[in-house]
Amino acid sequence: MAPVPVSPISVGHIDDVQELRKTIPSRIPQRFVRDGIERPRLFMTNPTPCKNIPVIDLSNLQKGSKDEFRAELLQLSASCEDWGFFQVINHGVNLSLVESLEKVAMEFFMLPLEEKQKYPMLPGTVQGYGQAFVFSEDQKLDWCNMFALGLEPHFIRNPNLWPTKPATFSETLEAYSREIRKLCKNLLKYIAIGLSLDENVFEDMFGAAVQAVRMNYYPACPRPDLVLGLSPHSDGSALTVLQQGKGSSVGLQIFKDNTWVPVQPIPNALVINIGDTIEVLTNGRYKSVEHRAVTHREKDRLSIVTFYAPSYDLEVGPMPELVDENEPCKYRRYNHGEYSKNYVTNKLRGKKALEFAKINTTN
Ligand code: OGA
Ligand code: NI
């Protein structure tokens, strides 16, 4: 008898969005059409200048005068508290590497479907090419093709999913990821200093930090008002680094003061956001903010997203320095591996993943 899978997941047929574009360019299959309240009300998202996410100049933190350092550190802390998002400029990541990765990522997505399907993201898994976070046949689908790979520590890698085309894909991704790792360590150092903690507190605590990359390709969509590029969610990481393709449409939106605020790309900047893990560690002082991606009628969009998180072994809970009588403990202690497992075995659903960690208080 054929072996029965332990937990069969029936997700039905998942259309590849790029192929859909080629075959039926003007009809949106029902599985992508959102119910009324979930639809992006694109006319509502006219950006007002005061609603742009903050910008952090890393060079002021690394080599600024005392005053520049202090001012930038305040700005960083305020961004993490009020927005959970910021764009970082002068971040030190080699720009030609950023460009090269964008190029090979785009080349990968432009390969014939049969080539990309050599690296399938199987139902219920989060690495490879396809759509992540799909768990049932009636679940709405995102207008997006994804390609995701685990990078660090090495045991999370699945070498069978690393593509041989384009030929320089793997080496470019490796070099890029080393630089992004340095950036994450740096940012965590300044985040710690801004919280009046020891600068190495996160690095020491995180151990063999987990790093993964997800490349999201959003083809243009004839009805951007009906679909979502990526469902609303917060990230399970400690920090997320997002690079938006040059010339891409505006697509990332964050949920702030009850409205969806579009993130206007700044050339050569990287978008950083606080993930659930930092929200828990800081007892909610720094926010892991809900965000989503929308599509564009004429333009496609590429984003390359790095998730940086602690070792799966880590017991995560609010740091004692951030808990007192005014700020009572809001989250329980849990194992980060279990948190991650809970995150990736559920569909994206706003900030619901954090309920795993929340202590229910009545006040
Ligand atoms: C993500 C994400 C947004 C984007 O991949 O977690 O939030 O703009 N992506 O692609
Ligand atoms: Ni995200």
Side-chain angles (χ1 to χ4, degrees):
M1 228 171 88
V4 179
V6 184
S7 69
I9 299 177
S10 174
V11 296
H13 175 71
I14 298 182
D15 279 310
D16 181 277
V17 187
Q18 284 167 268
E19 299 303 309
L20 264 185
R21 278 288 290 165
K22 287 184 203 155
T23 48
I24 35 170
S26 61
R27 215 194 101 250
I28 312 281
Q30 212 47 37
R31 241 187 129 181
F32 290 88
V33 177
R34 298 283 167 159
D35 298 332
I37 45 158
E38 281 195 346
R39 290 182 190 171
R41 295 198 279 166
L42 295 169
F43 61 91
M44 296 269 294
T45 53
N46 233 350
T48 46
C50 59
K51 272 271 181 92
N52 278 341
I53 67 167
V55 177
I56 299 297
D57 184 341
L58 193 68
S59 66
N60 280 337
L61 293 168
Q62 289 184 309
K63 41 186 187 237
S65 66
K66 246 187 181 159
D67 284 347
E68 285 166 338
F69 178 86
R70 207 170 301 138
E72 206 67 44
L73 196 67
L74 276 178
Q75 169 82 349
L76 174 67
S77 310
S79 311
C80 296
E81 253 184 86
D82 303 338
W83 288 82
F85 263 87
F86 55 90
Q87 304 210 48
V88 61
I89 57 169
N90 298 321
H91 45 63
V93 177
N94 183 329
L95 291 176
S96 66
L97 214 51
V98 169
E99 214 167 279
S100 306
L101 186 63
E102 207 172 296
K103 187 159 167 282
V104 290
M106 207 59 180
E107 278 170 22
F108 177 80
F109 281 110
M110 294 308 135
L111 290 172
L113 183 62
E114 308 78 68
E115 183 64 32
K116 294 183 280 185
Q117 282 180 334
K118 290 181 183 164
Y119 314 100
M121 187 184 289
L122 299 173
T125 69
V126 285
Q127 292 196 47
Y129 177 77
Q131 281 230 6
F133 306 107
V134 183
F135 296 97
S136 70
E137 294 192 33
D138 55 7
Q139 191 183 326
K140 292 291 178 191
L141 297 177
D142 291 333
W143 193 264
C144 176
N145 287 336
M146 291 177 170
F147 185 49
L149 292 171
L151 286 150
E152 298 291 340
H154 276 225
F155 73 82
I156 71 166
R157 291 187 182 203
N158 181 347
N160 297 330
L161 296 178
W162 285 60
T164 50
K165 287 182 195 167
T168 55
F169 184 98
S170 299
E171 65 193 75
T172 310
L173 178 60
E174 291 268 21
Y176 172 85
S177 297
R178 272 195 297 274
E179 298 231 345
I180 296 290
R181 197 173 178 86
K182 268 192 259 163
L183 174 66
C184 290
K185 286 177 195 249
N186 262 325
L187 288 169
L188 286 170
K189 180 172 89 182
Y190 297 117
I191 285 174
I193 298 172
L195 288 163
S196 309
L197 300 169
D198 181 273
E199 65 174 53
N200 294 319
V201 67
F202 294 117
E203 168 112 50
D204 293 348
M205 185 197 298
F206 281 18
V210 172
Q211 188 176 349
V213 71
R214 183 160 71 221
M215 302 170 180
N216 304 307
Y217 179 68
Y218 306 97
C221 178
R223 290 297 304 272
D225 54 325
L226 297 182
V227 308
L228 286 174
L230 188 61
S231 301
H233 66 282
S234 64
D235 295 341
S237 55
L239 279 187
T240 301
V241 180
L242 179 139
Q243 167 187 340
Q244 318 207 54
K246 270 209 178 72
S248 284
S249 59
V250 179
L252 173 61
Q253 298 184 334
I254 72 176
F255 197 60
K256 165 113 174 110
D257 303 332
N258 272 324
T259 46
W260 287 100
V261 180
V263 174
Q264 305 291 337
I266 299 175
N268 300 328
L270 294 166
V271 178
I272 311 292
N273 67 284
I274 299 288
D276 294 347
T277 308
I278 292 285
E279 174 167 328
V280 172
L281 289 170
T282 62
N283 197 27
R285 174 136 155 216
Y286 287 1
K287 308 285 181 322
S288 164
V289 167
E290 192 174 342
H291 52 282
R292 69 180 186 184
V294 297
T295 59
H296 191 276
R297 197 181 299 273
E298 279 121 31
K299 274 182 155 181
D300 58 356
R301 176 166 176 265
L302 172 74
S303 68
I304 299 173
V305 186
T306 298
F307 303 101
Y308 187 80
S311 156
Y312 291 132
D313 300 334
L314 187 72
E315 291 293 312
V316 174
M319 292 186 284
E321 297 88 338
L322 290 148
V323 177
D324 60 28
E325 59 275 19
N326 297 323
E327 290 296 337
C329 190
K330 299 188 183 80
Y331 308 90
R332 66 181 180 89
R333 291 188 76 74
Y334 58 83
N335 167 269
H336 179 66
E338 270 172 41
Y339 185 81
S340 301
K341 194 164 155 208
N342 178 64
Y343 188 95
V344 300
T345 51
N346 279 289
K347 64 176 186 172
L348 295 177
R349 48 205 172 124
K351 284 207 66 170
K352 284 242 165 51
L354 251 186
E355 278 169 21
F356 176 89
K358 278 214 170 102
I359 294 175
N360 286 323
T361 47
T362 42
N363 52 351

